[in-house]
Amino acid sequence: MQHNDMGRTGWNNQEYILNQSNVRPGSFGKLFTRTVDDHVYAQPLVVLKLNMPGIGIRNVVYVSTVNNSVYAFDADSANLSNPYWRVNVTPSHSRATSALDFRSIGCNDRFNSFLTNVGIVGTPVIDTTTNTIFFVARSFDTLNQQQEQYLHALDITTGAEKNNSPVLIAATVAGTGDGSVNGMVSFNAWHQNQRAALLLLNSMVVICWGSHCDWPPYHGWVMSYNKTTLQQKTVYAVTPDGEGGGIWMSGAGPSADENGNFYAAAGDGTVGTSNDALSSRNRGSSILKFHSTDSSFTLNDFFTPNNYRRLTDSNLDMGPTGVMLLPNTKIAITACKSGQIFVVNRDSLGTYYADSNRIIQSYQLAGATHVHASFAYYKGAQKENVYLWGEGSDLKSFPFDRANNKFNFDSTVAATALGAGYSNGAFMSVSSNGSNDASAILWASHTLSGVYNPGVARPGMLRAFDANNINNELWNSRIDSNDIQPSYARFVCPTIINGKVYLATFSNQLIVYGLAGGNANACGTANIALNKPAYASSTKGNNIPSHATDNNASSKWASNPGDPQYIYVDLQARYNICKVVLKWANVNAKEFKIQVSDDATNWSDAVSILGNKYNTNILLLNGAGRYVRMYGTSSKFSNGYSLKSFEVYGTSNAPLYAVEESGHH
């Protein structure tokens, strides 16, 4: 499901392959991409060890697009580019709902981001006990000239519709609110945007709706359907006698606890009635708690900030982050657009008091503006943290004090060197092997820079941080030009599982990152460059090239100032090269390439590094040749390059042709 678990923590604590030692430039990077037919707004979902009919046991990644298509790709193989199956669920005589359908109402601002179609938007949910994927698809019936939304249930092994699928979504509740007719409020398939991820809770599929472009009349809606019969069980409107209250949570899904309760955050909308602010009748601008059974659910608690009027008037309302539940506690955490964080007790959320917020804690992010972001969570051997990186604010790590059941907000760690969060902030996940701190990685996806302009898909960046020290960035997708993420998928968290990171884009593709070239610790132990001849573009003083291959920690090669500069080693035979290790006297190479050659004249790029900041580079690669070169194009300092050790690892390879023994030019 979206963000991994019922609590929506984003933490996969069963990642046994990726760790802080191998998620590094040169050893980790883009493995392959998969082309799809439109933009991807839903988080990719992965099922391991699935028995695919006629194929066998496979790991499968599911990708949904706003053109109403669902793809089932092999999750591991770079060579199996075709999907196992692909289904488009747009009904006959219909088309996917288009962004152009909303232009007549002036819906073209940066906060709404739909650039092509508006088909499958909310992240599906998969029931692995019945091999079923559930999702909502939007379409326009060209015969009857009307917008429609359908709940679908597909077999994840074949893509076939399950029994009773699809179901046209319709609902009506008693109310006198915006858009009501004769005392009834009806679900409007055009005005209601199904952005939040779906939840599977026991036998219920729970679906939430907000609006698109704040286009009235709209309301927040929550509906449940039986997962087998797809019969609608319960319908709840957040503001039946008012307006607004959309539930969208920047794509997050409702969270759920061990007692069958589920939680969501409603955006700006009517609060209470004119005579009773505590009335459960209208609960916009609130955290909502629903108690569920197998057949129904009811609202049984809420929290509304005492300053909800000011938040609404300033467009800084609730609902942009989802409600995350801390494991093995009664704690829930969410935030409003202003960056005000609310920590509540799940057993008593705090309802509404005009004079104060009667909750566990509140914290204000410095500099935050319109925070649309995801929380993420990790509990290690020594520390327990929640993370948030909001627009206009630094990436922050909030320590949780389990003994006192509170956050130590006074000890908040900020990664100030990264700069304030970009448009919307970042969408994050965590991977680790249990509570092994050396394996714990915080992953963040965000725009490269600037605001999210209408009609434009902006470049993105995927980043990896030490989850226990967010000021230690391990890797990002802009270091190596091969890893660049062409566009950012707004509000989509990365999926990390089984040694790979799956990232949605607005470039009609899925990107898969992983260990590029193998395991850094499994590329042989013999340094084949040791004491081999070395040559360089220049030498400063007595710091000659051979000092980089002599295994002497007190010696080094140093170049003259100026770019470019290079050093290469003659391995004196042809090798299949799988790893290069560079140990700098300082971080002197900001941008460089590792190149291979058979004649020391014609060079092929094996790895390109941008923005290097490491004293040691462990670079996995797939190359072959007799010569290996570090070609520096941008030094960090004006005094040139300084390399203590140039190590090469690989296996013997017969030469393509005879090479003179002297070999260098």
Side-chain angles (χ1 to χ4, degrees):
M1 66 181 66
Q2 187 268 348
H3 232 204
N4 291 68
D5 54 41
M6 291 288 198
R8 308 292 182 177
T9 65
W11 180 25
N12 175 17
N13 63 0
Q14 299 181 60
E15 175 48 58
Y16 307 121
I17 298 174
L18 301 179
N19 55 61
Q20 293 174 20
S21 68
N22 59 28
V23 177
R24 294 279 178 169
S27 61
F28 180 86
K30 185 187 294 185
L31 299 179
F32 56 90
T33 61
R34 291 291 172 260
T35 300
V36 294
D37 63 6
D38 212 330
H39 295 178
V40 181
Y41 283 68
Q43 182 174 334
L45 301 177
V46 177
V47 177
L48 300 180
K49 299 180 180 179
L50 181 65
N51 189 0
M52 301 291 285
I55 300 171
I57 305 299
R58 295 291 188 273
N59 299 329
V60 183
V61 55
Y62 296 88
V63 184
S64 307
T65 77
V66 289
N67 191 43
N68 286 335
S69 293
V70 182
Y71 295 78
F73 290 108
D74 190 280
D76 301 318
S77 174
N79 298 320
L80 297 176
S81 58
N82 291 326
Y84 290 125
W85 56 260
R86 178 251 183 179
V87 173
N88 185 278
V89 298
T90 303
S92 60
H93 308 298
S94 299
R95 58 166 173 79
T97 296
S98 169
L100 296 175
D101 294 340
F102 301 91
R103 296 295 163 83
S104 63
I105 62 168
C107 182
N108 189 27
D109 70 309
R110 72 183 181 95
F111 295 111
N112 292 286
S113 78
F114 289 108
L115 308 178
T116 55
N117 292 310
V118 193
I120 302 171
V121 180
T123 300
V125 66
I126 294 176
D127 180 9
T128 55
T129 64
T130 62
N131 286 343
T132 308
I133 184 170
F134 300 92
F135 58 90
V136 172
R138 298 178 70 173
S139 56
F140 180 73
D141 183 335
T142 56
L143 289 181
N144 297 305
Q145 294 292 297
Q146 64 185 20
Q147 297 282 345
E148 297 176 333
Q149 298 190 28
Y150 287 89
L151 170 62
H152 290 264
L154 304 186
D155 187 321
I156 61 173
T157 66
T158 65
E161 296 271 8
K162 290 289 188 93
N163 291 338
N164 308 309
S165 176
V167 171
L168 179 67
I169 293 171
T172 301
V173 297
T176 58
D178 205 6
S180 63
V181 177
N182 297 323
M184 303 298 290
V185 176
S186 296
F187 175 82
N188 187 316
W190 195 6
H191 289 242
Q192 302 294 159
N193 183 28
Q194 204 290 292
R195 186 66 186 92
L198 276 63
L199 169 69
L200 181 63
L201 183 59
N202 299 320
S203 64
M204 290 196 312
V205 179
V206 179
I207 312 169
C208 301
W209 284 265
S211 75
H212 183 50
C213 274
D214 289 337
W215 180 29
Y218 76 89
H219 305 270
W221 290 86
V222 186
M223 303 183 199
S224 68
Y225 290 78
N226 180 274
K227 73 174 187 178
T228 303
T229 65
L230 298 191
Q231 179 182 358
Q232 188 181 82
K233 289 298 185 180
T234 305
V235 174
Y236 171 83
V238 176
T239 54
D241 297 324
E243 61 180 3
I247 299 175
W248 69 290
M249 301 185 293
S250 294
S255 52
D257 65 26
E258 65 282 2
N259 297 317
N261 304 301
F262 67 92
Y263 305 79
D268 60 318
T270 304
V271 172
T273 63
S274 58
N275 298 319
D276 183 9
L278 289 171
S279 170
S280 61
R281 186 69 182 160
N282 298 298
R283 287 270 48 106
S285 305
S286 302
I287 303 174
L288 306 174
K289 176 183 178 181
F290 300 92
H291 180 68
S292 71
T293 65
D294 278 347
S295 59
S296 66
F297 66 83
T298 55
L299 178 71
N300 70 349
D301 200 2
F302 64 88
F303 164 69
T304 306
N306 69 317
N307 62 342
Y308 75 88
R309 291 186 179 88
R310 181 184 67 79
L311 295 174
T312 297
D313 291 343
S314 304
N315 191 24
L316 298 174
D317 51 290
M318 294 280 286
T321 62
V323 182
M324 191 180 80
L325 310 184
L326 266 68
N328 304 309
T329 74
K330 294 294 185 179
I331 298 291
I333 186 169
T334 192
C336 56
K337 291 178 189 172
S338 69
Q340 188 174 4
I341 294 173
F342 303 105
V343 182
V344 298
N345 183 339
R346 291 195 280 113
D347 288 342
S348 180
L349 295 184
T351 64
Y352 170 75
Y353 294 89
D355 59 342
S356 64
N357 292 325
R358 302 184 186 182
I359 59 177
I360 295 175
Q361 287 174 287
S362 179
Y363 178 81
Q364 178 64 51
L365 289 176
T369 57
H370 285 92
V371 175
H372 304 87
S374 70
F375 285 100
Y377 167 86
Y378 170 66
K379 185 179 186 299
Q382 302 296 327
K383 300 177 182 178
E384 187 170 2
N385 289 299
V386 166
Y387 312 90
L388 184 66
W389 195 358
E391 178 182 354
S393 182
D394 302 309
L395 169 60
K396 287 185 169 61
S397 174
F398 307 116
F400 183 67
D401 180 355
R402 189 163 284 266
N404 294 304
N405 216 34
K406 288 186 176 182
F407 286 93
N408 288 332
F409 286 122
D410 290 341
S411 300
T412 294
V413 176
T416 56
L418 299 171
Y422 305 103
S423 180
N424 311 133
F427 287 79
M428 302 189 293
S429 303
V430 175
S431 64
S432 73
N433 182 357
S435 293
N436 179 349
D437 289 336
S439 69
I441 299 174
L442 173 67
W443 302 86
S445 174
H446 59 74
T447 56
L448 183 59
S449 63
V451 299
Y452 210 102
N453 296 320
V456 178
R458 297 195 65 86
M461 180 185 288
L462 176 66
R463 307 175 92 143
F465 301 91
D466 178 342
N468 286 293
N469 177 12
I470 58 174
N471 282 288
N472 178 19
E473 184 178 14
L474 305 171
W475 173 91
N476 73 63
S477 61
R478 306 296 296 189
I479 293 174
D480 187 331
S481 58
N482 294 320
D483 298 335
I484 287 176
Q485 175 189 351
S487 67
Y488 163 71
R490 201 163 183 248
F491 306 146
V492 185
C493 299
T495 300
I496 305 94
I497 188 169
N498 197 38
K500 295 180 178 64
V501 179
Y502 301 86
L503 193 66
T505 74
F506 285 178
S507 305
N508 293 26
Q509 64 179 204
L510 169 76
I511 301 178
V512 182
Y513 295 93
L515 296 180
N519 188 321
N521 299 317
C523 192
T525 58
N527 172 17
I528 56 178
L530 180 63
N531 295 322
K532 297 292 176 62
Y535 308 89
S537 55
S538 65
T539 299
K540 181 186 291 184
N542 294 321
N543 299 305
I544 59 178
S546 60
H547 285 172
T549 61
D550 64 4
N551 197 32
N552 185 344
S554 63
S555 66
K556 65 182 180 181
W557 162 72
S559 78
N560 291 327
D563 291 306
Q565 299 284 348
Y566 62 80
I567 178 174
Y568 69 86
V569 59
D570 177 3
L571 301 176
Q572 299 184 321
R574 198 170 195 269
Y575 286 87
N576 290 321
I577 300 159
C578 53
K579 182 170 69 175
V580 169
V581 178
L582 304 177
K583 297 179 181 178
W584 304 94
N586 205 329
V587 186
N588 292 97
K590 184 168 62 175
E591 297 182 5
F592 65 93
K593 299 177 180 180
I594 300 297
Q595 301 173 315
V596 295
S597 174
D598 285 309
D599 58 10
T601 299
N602 300 294
W603 297 93
S604 299
D605 295 346
V607 176
S608 297
I609 300 297
L610 306 174
N612 178 50
K613 61 179 183 179
Y614 303 101
N615 285 311
T616 299
N617 298 118
I618 303 173
L619 308 173
L620 297 188
L621 56 105
N622 288 309
R626 171 172 172 169
Y627 305 90
V628 183
R629 180 166 76 168
M630 186 291 298
Y631 187 82
T633 56
S634 177
S635 58
K636 185 174 183 180
F637 304 112
S638 60
N639 57 349
Y641 297 80
S642 183
L643 189 63
K644 293 194 296 183
S645 179
F646 188 165
E647 302 174 13
V648 180
Y649 296 84
T651 56
S652 179
N653 183 309
L656 293 174
Y657 48 84
V659 181
E660 292 183 7
E661 189 64 28
S662 60
H664 70 274
H665 300 274

